[in-house]
Amino acid sequence: MAYSSSRPLSPHLSIYKMHPGMIMSGLHRITGVALTVGLVLMSWWLIAAAMGPDAFARVQWLLGTVIGKLALLGWTFSLFYHFGTGLRHLAFDVGLFLGKDSSVRAGWMVVVFAIAATGLTWAAGCAVLYVK
Amino acid sequence: MDKQGTSLVTELARARGLGASHTGTEHWWVQRMTSLALLPLSLWFVFSIVSMAGANYVTVKAWLTSPCNAALLIALVLVTFHHAVSGMEVIFEDYIHCKCAKLTTIVVVKFAGALGAITCTVAVLKLALGG
């Protein structure tokens, strides 16, 4: 929006006392952006698979490097976190967890879920690799 | 209700209920609907990828060419791109203050998202239809 700097702005981040909900909401956006970047990677993976074994081998090699694995780990966590906070927002929309304490409790449930689901996913991946 | 003559909102505008954005709650609603669709689709995708950990090209290709997987994958691609672009749109609306840069960024991201969604769909179809 076009605005002139001399006009008053509504109170912003610096004026409010930090609250878990603010961090949760910010992280929801940040993980959303991370997932959008991950979407580019997923597209590359799909397109490479369609192009043939050589192109697919290149993207698989990149995902297998330390940086690739770290990106995948970050992507897994971002997905489960965004999934959880998204679910929390859907719950808000139907009027659940709107209390002062219950909204924060739902937030912590999401954090625990995201960490646990990420760990479980990677443990399952390692188990699949081990069985093979 | 305002007394007649004191409100700047016309009766027609109030009746249509579209507010200052002129689009009402549509953007918000589509974001919620796509998120709802992504709950099962994203879990299915993660589960599939995990079950294929360390698999070779032949195995992955066989998974991609199964009609059921291809259909779900196209659904995942289309809904994910739509959800991602509409989410990014809100972020640009919030943080880019120069109107021209804001509009340019949103248009570029929308076009890139559409192109990405179409390209991924073509890739899945090529595999599924045995190209």
Side-chain angles (χ1 to χ4, degrees):
Chain A
M1 282 300 135
Y3 68 93
S4 115
S5 56
S6 61
R7 294 173 69 186
L9 287 167
S10 58
H12 204 36
L13 284 176
S14 54
I15 209 162
Y16 295 111
K17 188 182 159 206
M18 213 45 174
H19 181 270
M22 291 161 74
I23 303 169
M24 306 265 339
S25 171
L27 266 176
H28 184 70
R29 283 202 161 179
I30 292 167
T31 50
V33 174
L35 288 169
T36 306
V37 176
L39 189 56
V40 177
L41 196 73
M42 189 183 111
S43 306
W44 185 22
W45 185 80
L46 273 177
I47 293 162
M51 281 168 73
D54 294 339
F56 190 72
R58 271 196 294 278
V59 67
Q60 287 293 80
W61 172 83
L62 188 87
L63 292 175
T65 61
V66 177
I67 295 171
K69 278 181 188 150
L70 279 177
L72 280 178
L73 183 67
W75 190 78
T76 317
F77 176 78
S78 295
L79 182 77
F80 284 125
Y81 181 85
H82 198 85
F83 185 103
T85 37
L87 212 52
R88 180 168 163 264
H89 276 287
L90 288 172
F92 289 160
D93 293 340
V94 293
L96 298 169
F97 300 113
L98 287 175
K100 190 181 161 200
D101 295 325
S102 63
S103 71
V104 175
R105 241 194 336 270
W108 282 114
M109 268 153 59
V110 168
V111 172
V112 171
F113 161 76
I115 294 170
T118 307
L120 210 66
T121 302
W122 280 73
C126 291
V128 170
L129 272 179
Y130 183 75
V131 169
K132 281 176 184 157
Chain B
M1 188 61 84
D2 294 296
K3 271 187 288 177
Q4 205 169 14
T6 58
S7 172
L8 291 173
V9 182
T10 63
E11 296 297 325
L12 178 63
R14 207 197 329 269
R16 285 158 81 199
L18 298 178
S21 70
H22 307 297
T23 58
T25 54
E26 195 193 336
H27 187 276
W28 176 89
W29 180 253
V30 173
Q31 232 175 354
R32 293 310 185 273
M33 286 305 103
T34 48
S35 74
L36 214 52
L38 283 171
L39 293 177
L41 285 172
S42 59
L43 286 185
W44 163 79
F45 183 70
V46 170
F47 180 81
S48 305
I49 294 298
V50 165
S51 65
M52 285 192 293
N56 57 18
Y57 181 68
V58 179
T59 314
V60 175
K61 198 180 171 183
W63 180 79
L64 285 166
T65 47
S66 137
C68 182
N69 290 336
L72 286 174
L73 212 45
I74 290 172
L76 174 76
V77 162
L78 295 180
V79 180
T80 305
F81 267 100
H82 195 293
H83 188 80
V85 168
S86 72
M88 293 305 293
E89 191 184 353
V90 174
I91 293 177
F92 296 138
E93 281 169 359
D94 283 356
Y95 301 125
I96 303 178
H97 299 304
C98 162
K99 209 172 181 178
C100 177
K102 185 200 300 253
L103 190 64
T104 310
T105 313
I106 289 175
V107 169
V108 167
V109 167
K110 281 200 169 187
F111 280 17
L115 200 62
I118 293 166
T119 312
C120 286
T121 307
V122 170
V124 176
L125 284 177
K126 180 175 182 278
L127 286 159
L129 302 175

